[in-house]
Amino acid sequence: DWALIPHLRVPELGNAKGRSRARAELGLDEGDFLVCSFGLLAPTKLNRRLLDAWLSSALAAADGSLLVFVGEFAGGDYGEEMRKAIARSPFHDRIRITGWVDADGFRQYLAAADVGVQLRTLSRGETSGAALDCMNYGLAIIVNANGSMADLPDDAAWKLPDEFEDAQLVDAL
């Protein structure tokens, strides 16, 4: 007695705001390497693990490499801890948190990004709309096999184990 209702997306490939235009409007150079995580920042989205992995990767020190969290904090101490970790980092100028963005701003970052990273823990059965948005824009995407992301075909995403090691995320980046 179940019905499957797709998580609908209007195809954006070839229809999206051009990458060059989106990058120019965001103040990015064509050669910049932009890693984005989309959506609310919260412990269930593993944003801090992404931050730590990015800082441990070669990307942090690479000229033109940026990590952008496109979203705002859910509240609590999590946001303050992340802000402090970013401020302590020698690469704090390459890490941004946009805060809330409207739909046009969200799509602008999707068009400009090189890689999307959408991690989850403690799934309640939901599907990551942001992960599907990344795929809809043709972005390379890194996910962990949590909840419905475990069902993605292996050739559609860089899929980490549900409970991955930080070194695996560093390697994926």
Side-chain angles (χ1 to χ4, degrees):
D1 295 340
W2 288 78
L4 174 65
I5 302 172
H7 203 53
L8 300 176
R9 293 289 183 272
V10 174
E12 291 292 344
L13 293 175
N15 188 15
K17 179 183 288 192
R19 174 183 165 88
S20 295
R21 182 174 166 198
R23 284 177 166 252
E25 290 174 359
L26 292 170
L28 302 171
D29 292 330
E30 277 301 311
D32 289 345
F33 189 79
L34 182 59
V35 176
C36 289
S37 180
F38 296 90
L40 195 65
L41 283 77
T44 57
K45 305 287 184 81
L46 303 176
N47 306 105
R48 178 59 194 266
R49 290 194 61 194
L50 170 56
L51 172 64
D52 292 344
W54 188 85
L55 288 170
S56 296
S57 76
L59 289 175
D63 288 338
S65 181
L66 299 163
L67 173 62
V68 178
F69 294 94
V70 183
E72 65 182 344
F73 288 108
D77 294 334
Y78 191 72
E80 190 56 34
E81 290 172 17
M82 278 203 50
R83 283 187 187 93
K84 287 178 182 176
I86 292 168
R88 285 190 305 264
S89 162
F91 306 110
H92 60 87
D93 58 330
R94 298 177 183 185
I95 305 165
R96 301 177 188 159
I97 300 169
T98 65
W100 183 86
V101 295
D102 62 16
D104 287 337
F106 190 82
R107 287 189 292 267
Q108 193 171 41
Y109 276 100
L110 283 165
D114 292 290
V115 176
V117 182
Q118 299 301 129
L119 305 171
R120 299 289 186 273
T121 189
L122 302 174
S123 173
R124 297 177 307 269
E126 69 277 8
T127 297
S128 171
L132 297 178
D133 287 331
C134 289
M135 295 173 80
N136 192 30
Y137 273 76
L139 291 180
I141 185 169
I142 301 168
V143 300
N144 62 318
N146 181 266
S148 64
M149 294 298 100
D151 295 330
L152 288 176
D154 290 339
D155 63 349
W158 186 303
K159 194 170 22 170
L160 301 168
D162 182 15
E163 297 197 18
F164 59 92
E165 299 294 325
D166 289 346
Q168 291 173 292
L169 180 53
V170 170
D171 184 48
L173 289 168

PDB file of all heavy atoms in Angstrom, residues 42-54:
ATOM      1  N   ALA A  42      24.415  21.767  11.250  1.00  0.00           N
ATOM      2  CA  ALA A  42      23.984  21.140  12.495  1.00  0.00           C
ATOM      3  C   ALA A  42      24.810  19.876  12.726  1.00  0.00           C
ATOM      4  O   ALA A  42      25.391  19.332  11.780  1.00  0.00           O
ATOM      5  CB  ALA A  42      22.495  20.780  12.420  1.00  0.00           C
ATOM      6  N   PRO A  43      24.853  19.386  13.961  1.00  0.00           N
ATOM      7  CA  PRO A  43      25.615  18.167  14.235  1.00  0.00           C
ATOM      8  C   PRO A  43      25.211  16.988  13.345  1.00  0.00           C
ATOM      9  O   PRO A  43      26.063  16.176  12.980  1.00  0.00           O
ATOM     10  CB  PRO A  43      25.307  17.880  15.710  1.00  0.00           C
ATOM     11  CG  PRO A  43      24.973  19.213  16.293  1.00  0.00           C
ATOM     12  CD  PRO A  43      24.277  19.961  15.188  1.00  0.00           C
ATOM     13  N   THR A  44      23.952  16.897  12.964  1.00  0.00           N
ATOM     14  CA  THR A  44      23.495  15.791  12.119  1.00  0.00           C
ATOM     15  C   THR A  44      24.001  15.897  10.683  1.00  0.00           C
ATOM     16  O   THR A  44      23.899  14.939   9.918  1.00  0.00           O
ATOM     17  CB  THR A  44      21.958  15.711  12.099  1.00  0.00           C
ATOM     18  OG1 THR A  44      21.443  16.971  11.656  1.00  0.00           O
ATOM     19  CG2 THR A  44      21.412  15.354  13.468  1.00  0.00           C
ATOM     20  N   LYS A  45      24.554  17.052  10.307  1.00  0.00           N
ATOM     21  CA  LYS A  45      25.076  17.246   8.950  1.00  0.00           C
ATOM     22  C   LYS A  45      26.599  17.075   8.897  1.00  0.00           C
ATOM     23  O   LYS A  45      27.193  17.217   7.838  1.00  0.00           O
ATOM     24  CB  LYS A  45      24.705  18.638   8.422  1.00  0.00           C
ATOM     25  CG  LYS A  45      23.215  18.964   8.463  1.00  0.00           C
ATOM     26  CD  LYS A  45      22.440  18.219   7.402  1.00  0.00           C
ATOM     27  CE  LYS A  45      20.978  18.613   7.391  1.00  0.00           C
ATOM     28  NZ  LYS A  45      20.668  19.839   6.706  1.00  0.00           N
ATOM     29  N   LEU A  46      27.215  16.827  10.053  1.00  0.00           N
ATOM     30  CA  LEU A  46      28.655  16.551  10.145  1.00  0.00           C
ATOM     31  C   LEU A  46      29.519  17.663   9.549  1.00  0.00           C
ATOM     32  O   LEU A  46      30.606  17.415   9.020  1.00  0.00           O
ATOM     33  CB  LEU A  46      28.984  15.198   9.501  1.00  0.00           C
ATOM     34  CG  LEU A  46      28.240  13.992  10.071  1.00  0.00           C
ATOM     35  CD1 LEU A  46      28.576  12.725   9.283  1.00  0.00           C
ATOM     36  CD2 LEU A  46      28.564  13.804  11.546  1.00  0.00           C
ATOM     37  N   ASN A  47      29.075  18.902   9.659  1.00  0.00           N
ATOM     38  CA  ASN A  47      29.817  20.035   9.101  1.00  0.00           C
ATOM     39  C   ASN A  47      31.198  20.182   9.738  1.00  0.00           C
ATOM     40  O   ASN A  47      32.167  20.529   9.051  1.00  0.00           O
ATOM     41  CB  ASN A  47      29.038  21.330   9.275  1.00  0.00           C
ATOM     42  CG  ASN A  47      27.647  21.246   8.726  1.00  0.00           C
ATOM     43  OD1 ASN A  47      26.688  21.153   9.491  1.00  0.00           O
ATOM     44  ND2 ASN A  47      27.510  21.243   7.420  1.00  0.00           N
ATOM     45  N   ARG A  48      31.286  19.934  11.033  1.00  0.00           N
ATOM     46  CA  ARG A  48      32.577  20.075  11.714  1.00  0.00           C
ATOM     47  C   ARG A  48      33.561  19.030  11.198  1.00  0.00           C
ATOM     48  O   ARG A  48      34.750  19.310  11.038  1.00  0.00           O
ATOM     49  CB  ARG A  48      32.392  19.955  13.233  1.00  0.00           C
ATOM     50  CG  ARG A  48      33.681  20.040  14.034  1.00  0.00           C
ATOM     51  CD  ARG A  48      34.390  21.370  13.781  1.00  0.00           C
ATOM     52  NE  ARG A  48      35.743  21.348  14.269  1.00  0.00           N
ATOM     53  CZ  ARG A  48      36.115  21.771  15.470  1.00  0.00           C
ATOM     54  NH1 ARG A  48      35.224  22.271  16.297  1.00  0.00           N
ATOM     55  NH2 ARG A  48      37.370  21.712  15.822  1.00  0.00           N
ATOM     56  N   ARG A  49      33.089  17.838  10.918  1.00  0.00           N
ATOM     57  CA  ARG A  49      33.983  16.811  10.369  1.00  0.00           C
ATOM     58  C   ARG A  49      34.467  17.206   8.981  1.00  0.00           C
ATOM     59  O   ARG A  49      35.627  16.984   8.634  1.00  0.00           O
ATOM     60  CB  ARG A  49      33.303  15.454  10.350  1.00  0.00           C
ATOM     61  CG  ARG A  49      33.131  14.921  11.782  1.00  0.00           C
ATOM     62  CD  ARG A  49      32.780  13.494  11.855  1.00  0.00           C
ATOM     63  NE  ARG A  49      33.784  12.606  11.283  1.00  0.00           N
ATOM     64  CZ  ARG A  49      33.528  11.338  11.008  1.00  0.00           C
ATOM     65  NH1 ARG A  49      32.321  10.822  11.238  1.00  0.00           N
ATOM     66  NH2 ARG A  49      34.473  10.570  10.501  1.00  0.00           N
ATOM     67  N   LEU A  50      33.590  17.817   8.196  1.00  0.00           N
ATOM     68  CA  LEU A  50      34.010  18.313   6.884  1.00  0.00           C
ATOM     69  C   LEU A  50      35.063  19.401   7.056  1.00  0.00           C
ATOM     70  O   LEU A  50      36.083  19.402   6.371  1.00  0.00           O
ATOM     71  CB  LEU A  50      32.817  18.841   6.086  1.00  0.00           C
ATOM     72  CG  LEU A  50      33.162  19.594   4.794  1.00  0.00           C
ATOM     73  CD1 LEU A  50      34.007  18.748   3.853  1.00  0.00           C
ATOM     74  CD2 LEU A  50      31.888  20.080   4.123  1.00  0.00           C
ATOM     75  N   LEU A  51      34.832  20.333   7.958  1.00  0.00           N
ATOM     76  CA  LEU A  51      35.803  21.396   8.204  1.00  0.00           C
ATOM     77  C   LEU A  51      37.154  20.805   8.583  1.00  0.00           C
ATOM     78  O   LEU A  51      38.190  21.179   8.012  1.00  0.00           O
ATOM     79  CB  LEU A  51      35.293  22.326   9.315  1.00  0.00           C
ATOM     80  CG  LEU A  51      36.280  23.373   9.817  1.00  0.00           C
ATOM     81  CD1 LEU A  51      36.635  24.358   8.710  1.00  0.00           C
ATOM     82  CD2 LEU A  51      35.714  24.095  11.032  1.00  0.00           C
ATOM     83  N   ASP A  52      37.166  19.885   9.529  1.00  0.00           N
ATOM     84  CA  ASP A  52      38.419  19.280   9.978  1.00  0.00           C
ATOM     85  C   ASP A  52      39.109  18.517   8.851  1.00  0.00           C
ATOM     86  O   ASP A  52      40.342  18.592   8.703  1.00  0.00           O
ATOM     87  CB  ASP A  52      38.167  18.361  11.175  1.00  0.00           C
ATOM     88  CG  ASP A  52      37.759  19.127  12.426  1.00  0.00           C
ATOM     89  OD1 ASP A  52      37.956  20.361  12.490  1.00  0.00           O
ATOM     90  OD2 ASP A  52      37.219  18.480  13.348  1.00  0.00           O
ATOM     91  N   ALA A  53      38.343  17.796   8.047  1.00  0.00           N
ATOM     92  CA  ALA A  53      38.930  17.039   6.940  1.00  0.00           C
ATOM     93  C   ALA A  53      39.501  17.979   5.887  1.00  0.00           C
ATOM     94  O   ALA A  53      40.605  17.755   5.363  1.00  0.00           O
ATOM     95  CB  ALA A  53      37.885  16.115   6.314  1.00  0.00           C
ATOM     96  N   TRP A  54      38.775  19.043   5.578  1.00  0.00           N
ATOM     97  CA  TRP A  54      39.257  20.011   4.586  1.00  0.00           C
ATOM     98  C   TRP A  54      40.554  20.644   5.074  1.00  0.00           C
ATOM     99  O   TRP A  54      41.508  20.783   4.313  1.00  0.00           O
ATOM    100  CB  TRP A  54      38.184  21.062   4.308  1.00  0.00           C
ATOM    101  CG  TRP A  54      38.511  21.970   3.173  1.00  0.00           C
ATOM    102  CD1 TRP A  54      38.291  21.745   1.842  1.00  0.00           C
ATOM    103  CD2 TRP A  54      39.122  23.260   3.251  1.00  0.00           C
ATOM    104  NE1 TRP A  54      38.722  22.822   1.100  1.00  0.00           N
ATOM    105  CE2 TRP A  54      39.231  23.759   1.945  1.00  0.00           C
ATOM    106  CE3 TRP A  54      39.574  24.037   4.309  1.00  0.00           C
ATOM    107  CZ2 TRP A  54      39.793  24.997   1.664  1.00  0.00           C
ATOM    108  CZ3 TRP A  54      40.132  25.273   4.036  1.00  0.00           C
ATOM    109  CH2 TRP A  54      40.238  25.752   2.716  1.00  0.00           C
TER     110      TRP A  54
END
